[in-house]
Amino acid sequence: MPAPTIQYVPHYVPAPVTKEELEWADLPIIDFSSAGTPEGRAELTTQVCDAMQIYGFMYIVNHGLTKAETDRIFDIADVPFTQVPEDEMKRYTADIKGTGSFRGFKPRELWVIDNGVRDQIEQYNSHRSITGLQSHPKALRPFLPEMRAFAEHNHKRVLYPLLQILARGLELPEDTFVKMHGFDDPSETYLRFMKYYPRTEEDEQKSKNVWLKGHTDIGTVTILWSQPVSALQIRCPDGKWRWVKHIDNAMVVNIGDAMEFLSGGFYKGTIHRVHQPPRDQQGFDRLGVYYFVIANGDVILKPLQESPVLQRVGIVRRVEDEKAPTMDQYRKGRTAAYGLSELTKKDDVVEEQLIHGVPVRHYN
């Protein structure tokens, strides 16, 4: 059988890695080469679960894709932003506030960041099925099979073993979380391509150099494919903001709100933000590839009280069990509200909004 034809795509050239001395977050690096076996997952459980309790963030290496394969995905990720005409972009723009869904384009200047400053971020979001629930711009269509294969790799080769390890950490059956994340089940897990553009000096001053306020993610797990432009910062356990360092062909993985709710606070949804890059990377675009994982829409986001671990250590709730929203309710509420609704100022740092009875905080 002849080999499949590889569609030509212009090569995306990222910015050089920063040479500036920054205060880096000391995140664990997890070797996932053995995560495909029960024995390997058992060996990784303590390391992974400690990372997700203490930091809520970690790196994953040896995840099954070569650097050439990930470079190819970044080449494809640039297509929506460089090869789709503006009128076609508008036809595929998501109705975020109306539907609570990100499928399609998110244009620049949709969200208010601070002091009237709007974002300079473009996104193109694909439901993980790629072709099952949405259509795509013409320039992207030749690459849909590769996008589907990439989504399946993230979901089945990385997410599933990680969910099995997290279940082990709670002394629950390995398939506990996997059953909430079937690849073909109804949910809004996205493959996201995202591009940040430089801002004016006036906007930087007004927003204190913050490109996205401190927040936690909506879903259970977020997979970010590491790229060279330093901008992601996490709020470490000591309260300090530290930069997340680029590691070639690594993933940066973090816990979101939904997993924190399900685990009764055992796994932490860590606050993170996007900051203006260091001086030697200012002026460059920042292209990102993400896999945002959302549990099945009907999953009720309340603690799994049957966990022997939670029975021993106790449960931390952000909402009463009988008022806990479903995944769909929480996702739609947060998606429709982010950057588009008023926040209540709690103090000089924290702003808050209620989403289905859950207090959601933003850190400025």
Side-chain angles (χ1 to χ4, degrees):
M1 179 181 290
T5 303
I6 301 297
Q7 298 287 337
Y8 170 75
V9 60
H11 180 52
Y12 175 76
V13 180
V17 174
T18 183
K19 293 184 172 64
E20 295 198 21
E21 292 295 323
L22 303 176
E23 191 170 2
W24 303 108
D26 186 20
L27 300 180
I29 301 173
I30 309 297
D31 184 341
F32 237 46
S33 56
S34 65
T37 67
E39 297 78 16
R41 293 190 292 273
E43 290 177 4
L44 290 173
T45 296
T46 299
Q47 192 180 5
V48 168
C49 295
D50 283 353
M52 291 315 193
Q53 282 185 272
I54 298 168
Y55 299 99
F57 269 78
M58 65 184 182
Y59 296 100
I60 288 180
V61 297
N62 295 325
H63 42 64
L65 292 186
T66 66
K67 185 175 185 305
E69 289 170 323
T70 56
D71 286 349
R72 169 80 177 174
I73 288 296
F74 275 89
D75 294 344
I76 294 170
D78 201 35
V79 169
F81 312 118
T82 58
Q83 298 184 38
V84 177
E86 187 174 348
D87 62 336
E88 193 178 10
M89 273 191 180
K90 289 178 180 176
R91 292 201 303 273
Y92 287 94
T93 294
D95 179 14
I96 294 172
K97 191 164 188 178
T99 65
S101 171
F102 277 119
R103 294 182 202 173
F105 281 103
K106 178 236 153 252
R108 293 199 227 184
E109 300 190 344
L110 178 68
W111 298 327
V112 175
I113 303 302
D114 198 20
N115 289 325
V117 175
R118 291 188 171 269
D119 72 275
Q120 293 298 330
I121 306 164
E122 286 179 327
Q123 297 179 5
Y124 187 75
N125 295 281
S126 303
H127 184 271
R128 67 179 177 278
S129 64
I130 307 301
T131 56
L133 295 171
Q134 73 185 93
S135 56
H136 300 272
K138 183 178 179 181
L140 206 53
R141 291 172 198 165
F143 309 107
L144 298 182
E146 290 177 83
M147 290 168 59
R148 166 73 183 219
F150 182 69
E152 287 203 37
H153 181 88
N154 279 267
H155 206 95
K156 298 176 181 179
R157 296 283 300 277
V158 180
L159 174 65
Y160 279 172
L162 176 58
L163 293 176
Q164 290 172 314
I165 291 169
L166 295 176
R168 279 178 171 269
L170 290 170
E171 296 176 15
L172 291 168
E174 263 204 344
D175 64 353
T176 300
F177 293 126
V178 170
K179 290 191 293 188
M180 301 178 188
H181 295 80
F183 188 82
D184 298 315
D185 292 345
S187 84
E188 285 290 306
T189 294
Y190 299 110
L191 171 60
R192 174 175 295 175
F193 302 149
M194 192 168 182
K195 200 167 191 178
Y196 291 79
Y197 296 89
R199 304 189 309 189
T200 65
E201 185 56 37
E202 181 183 1
D203 279 358
E204 293 293 356
Q205 290 177 5
K206 284 183 177 179
S207 61
K208 306 180 187 73
N209 307 103
V210 172
W211 286 12
L212 271 184
K213 289 180 182 178
H215 64 282
T216 51
D217 289 342
I218 298 171
T220 47
V221 173
T222 300
I223 298 170
L224 179 158
W225 289 78
S226 189
Q227 53 74 48
V229 179
S230 297
L232 177 63
Q233 296 180 332
I234 70 168
R235 196 163 180 261
C236 292
D238 62 3
K240 289 185 177 180
W241 292 102
R242 291 185 175 87
W243 300 79
V244 174
K245 192 171 189 175
H246 171 58
I247 297 179
D248 237 9
N249 199 31
M251 297 169 159
V252 179
V253 178
N254 65 277
I255 291 296
D257 282 352
M259 182 59 74
E260 182 172 326
F261 298 155
L262 291 168
S263 71
F266 189 73
Y267 300 126
K268 309 298 184 188
T270 294
I271 300 153
H272 54 286
R273 69 181 182 184
V274 181
H275 190 278
Q276 183 186 28
R279 189 170 299 277
D280 61 355
Q281 292 185 320
Q282 292 170 14
F284 288 94
D285 299 334
R286 179 178 183 260
L287 180 65
V289 174
Y290 306 78
Y291 197 67
F292 280 94
V293 180
I294 305 290
N296 295 349
D298 60 357
V299 171
I300 299 173
L301 301 179
K302 63 181 182 179
L304 299 174
Q305 298 184 63
E306 64 271 29
S307 161
V309 172
L310 295 187
Q311 291 169 15
R312 291 197 300 271
V313 303
I315 291 172
V316 178
R317 290 176 171 86
R318 280 169 57 184
V319 65
E320 296 172 23
D321 288 359
E322 58 271 18
K323 296 180 181 178
T326 65
M327 184 74 257
D328 249 5
Q329 289 172 329
Y330 189 66
R331 172 188 62 79
K332 288 178 180 178
R334 276 203 58 183
T335 300
Y338 183 81
L340 300 169
S341 62
E342 291 293 323
L343 302 175
T344 302
K345 196 173 181 68
K346 306 298 286 186
D347 54 39
D348 289 342
V349 174
V350 177
E351 297 166 306
E352 191 175 88
Q353 60 190 158
L354 281 178
I355 303 294
H356 284 279
V358 181
V360 176
R361 292 186 163 190
H362 303 262
Y363 292 75
N364 195 1

